[in-house]
Amino acid sequence: MIERAMRLEVICEDRLGIAEEILSIMVKHGMNLKGIETDVNRNIFLNFRQLEFSELQMLLPEIRRIKGVEDVRTVPFTPSERNTHELNTILKTLPDPVFSLDTRGRIVMVNEAGAIALRSQLEKLEGQSINQFVHGFSFQRWFDDDDVDVRNSKVTMNQRTYLADVLPIRVENEESSEDQQVLAGAVLLMKSTDRLGEQVHAYQKQSGDGFERIYGQSQQMKQVLMQARKMAQLDAPLLIQGETGTGKELLARACHEFSFRDGKPFVALNCASLPDNVAESELFGHGENAFEGAGDAQRGVLEIAAGGTVFLDEIGEMSPSLQAKFLRFLQDGTFRRVGEEDEVKVDVRIICATQKDLPEMVQGGNFREDLYYRLNVLCLVVPPLRERKSDILPLAERFIERFCAQNGRPSAMISKSCRDYMMQYPWPGNVRQLENALYRAISLLEGNELTAEDLQLPSYASGSGYYDQPFEGTLEESVKRFESNLLRRLYPSYPSTRQLARKLGVSHTAIANKLREYGINKKTIT
């Protein structure tokens, strides 16, 4: 039986001896530590066996009483566990073989792609000499060289040709008084020449690669597009985060068109738009008469997109049961259609998008932690329009030019007041809202100049959402201003305390006191 573990984060100051005091408390309670570590902020993490709630109630107050300890809280993982999980996830999802070697050329670690290429199992390869499998490069001669540096070589492995990058691993020599490093091993990165040819083809594409449709002259968007072009060439899952209307699906399509999968389908599925049972059938397909009204067997999105890309929009809305089934597909690329027992295997690239805070959902138990780390291998964050204001007016001019051409009318000018208004507006709907507002304005425009009134945008100064106006005073003062304004507006329609109290669902005494406090009566209103 596997013993469950518990992890604590001790938020504390960097004081000599504080770790020793914490450990003495752990010894006092008979806690057998599995690990102790610190993070960059010098906070201390403890890993030990799972405690009963009553034991935890006794332990935490004692640690909090130590001088310099600010707080103690349970956490799901320690920094080293997260780093290890992150490294393993990256290695697992890389499409090309990766080996870690010691200084004698023995395999210390290998990813799944390497094990598959050698038709072996991970545990059987560890400790084996790399020379048994990779030919065309003398690893021992390279290790014995006086000046070990990065090497690139053409090699063969299992009768296939690869381009190999051999990278030295160096660590600090603590026994030396000088800043010296010692050779600790090497990392071997291997890329199939066939796959490399596909990626070179994608990189050599001319304009019209998909990214040309995405406008972004701001530094934030230039950075996103630069990262996206690199990530488009990889096969690992890609998570695109951003508010509604920022262009997440447009970016996903551009990544597909810029990859070596561009000749294959791009299929999108919105996880928020379908009930759980329908979403499962849409994603995995179903067998004949698998459920009432199913009819003939049908392929799901994964099969339809075979060889291409599946885009799952609003992945945060995926139900827990579907999350578990989708996780299994990500692990080995296989799934079962609804109502069938035979497994189906497909090769697709997964791109997901969400406007939700997935880490917060993981902490709240609303999204699987293991699925999150599977999806969050590569990540792009699309900034909202209010954070890339230098793009607002150029985007607006592009939209106006296009909509004027569609309506067969001369191009419209943007008045100065309209420009100022667009730059100050927070755009909660982002680029999509800007585009829709301008389409409506151009369609209804009488003259040739666009004004702020023509945009007909909802106010975001006093409602829920963004509050861009200067804010003064305390929360209590703001609440009183709101109460006063509300009561002044309602009082003419409900001119007695009982009528107004009934409307607002409070006692007439409370309303009478509020009216008296704010000086609201028939004389002041009229």
Side-chain angles (χ1 to χ4, degrees):
M1 181 177 178
I2 299 175
E3 187 180 66
R4 296 185 63 189
M6 173 173 282
R7 301 156 186 86
L8 290 182
E9 179 185 11
V10 183
I11 303 171
C12 57
E13 63 183 35
D14 185 9
R15 177 173 67 81
L16 185 65
I18 196 168
E20 184 178 350
E21 294 177 39
I22 294 171
L23 290 177
S24 66
I25 292 177
M26 303 296 289
V27 172
K28 172 185 171 183
H29 285 271
M31 298 290 98
N32 185 19
L33 276 179
K34 295 182 178 180
I36 179 171
E37 59 188 88
T38 61
D39 63 6
V40 292
N41 298 318
R42 308 302 294 175
N43 293 330
I44 297 173
F45 291 81
L46 308 169
N47 187 342
F48 51 93
R49 67 170 177 83
Q50 182 79 36
L51 295 181
E52 297 293 337
F53 182 70
S54 57
E55 294 179 288
L56 195 62
Q57 278 186 311
M58 295 175 60
L59 177 66
L60 297 187
E62 288 192 48
I63 297 178
R64 289 192 178 102
R65 284 195 289 270
I66 295 175
K67 180 183 176 182
V69 172
E70 298 176 11
D71 193 16
V72 185
R73 62 189 181 190
T74 60
V75 290
F77 45 78
T78 64
S80 64
E81 287 176 321
R82 188 200 178 282
N83 292 340
T84 300
H85 187 93
E86 184 177 51
L87 175 62
N88 289 337
T89 301
I90 292 173
L91 288 174
K92 193 178 184 70
T93 54
L94 283 175
D96 299 309
V98 179
F99 298 87
S100 175
L101 311 175
D102 64 15
T103 53
R104 297 177 62 182
R106 293 175 301 193
I107 298 172
V108 177
M109 183 185 297
V110 57
N111 69 342
E112 282 193 3
I116 292 171
L118 293 175
R119 301 181 186 134
S120 183
Q121 297 175 350
L122 296 174
E123 56 273 13
K124 290 184 178 180
L125 291 172
E126 293 176 1
Q128 298 292 317
S129 172
I130 193 67
N131 294 318
Q132 298 179 54
F133 313 108
V134 178
H135 307 285
F137 183 82
S138 177
F139 291 93
Q140 199 55 54
R141 186 182 302 168
W142 180 78
F143 277 121
D144 293 339
D145 199 314
D146 292 334
D147 185 20
V148 177
D149 59 359
V150 177
R151 289 290 182 85
N152 309 106
S153 179
K154 192 173 184 179
V155 298
T156 59
M157 184 174 71
N158 213 9
Q159 299 181 343
R160 290 190 64 184
T161 303
Y162 293 85
L163 292 179
D165 293 333
V166 189
L167 312 169
I169 301 174
R170 292 188 173 90
V171 297
E172 297 294 333
N173 184 4
E174 296 182 356
E175 297 180 358
S176 173
S177 59
E178 302 178 4
D179 293 335
Q180 291 184 343
Q181 293 182 327
V182 295
L183 185 66
V187 172
L188 175 61
L189 308 177
M190 304 181 67
K191 189 177 291 291
S192 166
T193 53
D194 294 338
R195 180 176 170 78
L196 184 64
E198 292 174 334
Q199 294 187 340
V200 169
H201 168 72
Y203 272 120
Q204 290 176 340
K205 287 185 179 182
Q206 302 300 316
S207 61
D209 57 16
F211 289 108
E212 297 297 317
R213 298 194 299 269
I214 303 174
Y215 181 84
Q217 290 302 311
S218 63
Q219 285 302 118
Q220 298 95 318
M221 279 305 295
K222 283 182 178 179
Q223 181 72 13
V224 169
L225 294 176
M226 180 185 71
Q227 293 174 347
R229 282 187 165 90
K230 294 179 180 179
M231 293 180 184
Q233 304 302 310
L234 305 176
D235 237 353
L238 171 61
L239 179 63
I240 303 177
Q241 297 173 287
E243 294 178 4
T244 180
T246 50
K248 297 185 290 294
E249 182 172 350
L250 192 64
L251 189 60
R253 287 184 180 275
C255 287
H256 167 74
E257 293 173 15
F258 200 64
S259 73
F260 63 89
R261 295 179 179 271
D262 66 323
K264 299 295 183 178
F266 175 93
V267 185
L269 179 66
N270 191 318
C271 299
S273 65
L274 299 171
D276 188 20
N277 59 332
V278 178
E280 182 179 358
S281 176
E282 285 288 321
L283 186 61
F284 300 116
H286 63 79
E288 186 176 358
N289 298 320
F291 48 86
E292 186 176 353
D296 296 334
Q298 287 190 4
R299 296 182 302 161
V301 163
L302 293 174
E303 285 186 84
I304 294 172
T309 302
V310 171
F311 174 66
L312 298 178
D313 199 9
E314 290 308 325
I315 188 69
E317 299 288 348
M318 183 178 280
S319 68
S321 62
L322 193 55
Q323 287 179 34
K325 295 175 181 177
F326 185 55
L327 175 64
R328 181 178 179 274
F329 167 74
L330 289 177
Q331 289 171 343
D332 56 16
T334 63
F335 63 91
R336 293 186 181 90
R337 292 178 180 175
V338 177
E340 289 189 351
E341 296 183 357
D342 295 335
E343 286 194 338
V344 180
K345 187 176 183 67
V346 294
D347 171 32
V348 295
R349 203 261 177 101
I350 299 296
I351 301 180
C352 300
T354 184
Q355 57 179 308
K356 291 183 174 293
D357 188 339
L358 290 187
E360 184 178 322
M361 293 181 67
V362 169
Q363 288 292 328
N366 299 315
F367 198 85
R368 292 182 64 107
E369 182 180 5
D370 46 3
L371 178 57
Y372 170 69
Y373 286 118
R374 281 279 186 181
L375 297 176
N376 194 31
V377 178
L378 303 173
C379 182
L380 291 171
V381 180
V382 187
L385 195 54
R386 63 183 177 279
E387 292 181 7
R388 40 182 286 222
K389 290 194 172 184
S390 59
D391 287 340
I392 293 176
L393 293 180
L395 277 170
E397 289 169 350
R398 281 191 166 201
F399 291 143
I400 289 172
E401 184 178 349
R402 186 209 308 168
F403 298 145
C404 285
Q406 290 176 359
N407 284 274
R409 55 166 298 154
S411 183
M413 302 291 293
I414 308 177
S415 68
K416 184 180 184 306
S417 63
C418 187
R419 288 174 178 270
D420 294 340
Y421 181 64
M422 285 194 292
M423 291 296 290
Q424 294 169 5
Y425 192 72
W427 299 107
N430 292 291
V431 179
R432 184 188 297 120
Q433 184 188 18
L434 174 65
E435 182 178 11
N436 292 342
L438 289 172
Y439 178 79
R440 179 177 59 248
I442 293 299
S443 299
L444 301 176
L445 188 63
E446 294 293 339
N448 288 320
E449 187 176 60
L450 202 65
T451 66
E453 291 73 21
D454 293 320
L455 295 179
Q456 300 178 21
L457 292 169
S459 172
Y460 259 74
S462 58
S464 60
Y466 304 98
Y467 195 96
D468 276 6
Q469 300 300 318
F471 180 83
E472 296 180 358
T474 64
L475 176 62
E476 182 180 0
E477 291 169 343
S478 299
V479 171
K480 285 187 175 183
R481 281 197 296 270
F482 174 81
E483 282 185 341
S484 175
N485 291 334
L486 179 64
L487 294 174
R488 288 182 188 279
R489 292 170 61 187
L490 290 177
Y491 190 80
S493 300
Y494 305 90
S496 76
T497 56
R498 293 190 179 277
Q499 289 178 353
L500 190 52
R502 192 178 302 114
K503 172 64 178 176
L504 296 175
V506 295
S507 69
H508 73 277
T509 303
I511 287 296
N513 291 335
K514 291 291 183 183
L515 293 175
R516 191 179 305 111
E517 179 182 357
Y518 300 129
I520 301 174
N521 52 53
K522 292 181 179 178
K523 291 182 180 180
T524 58
I525 294 299
T526 56

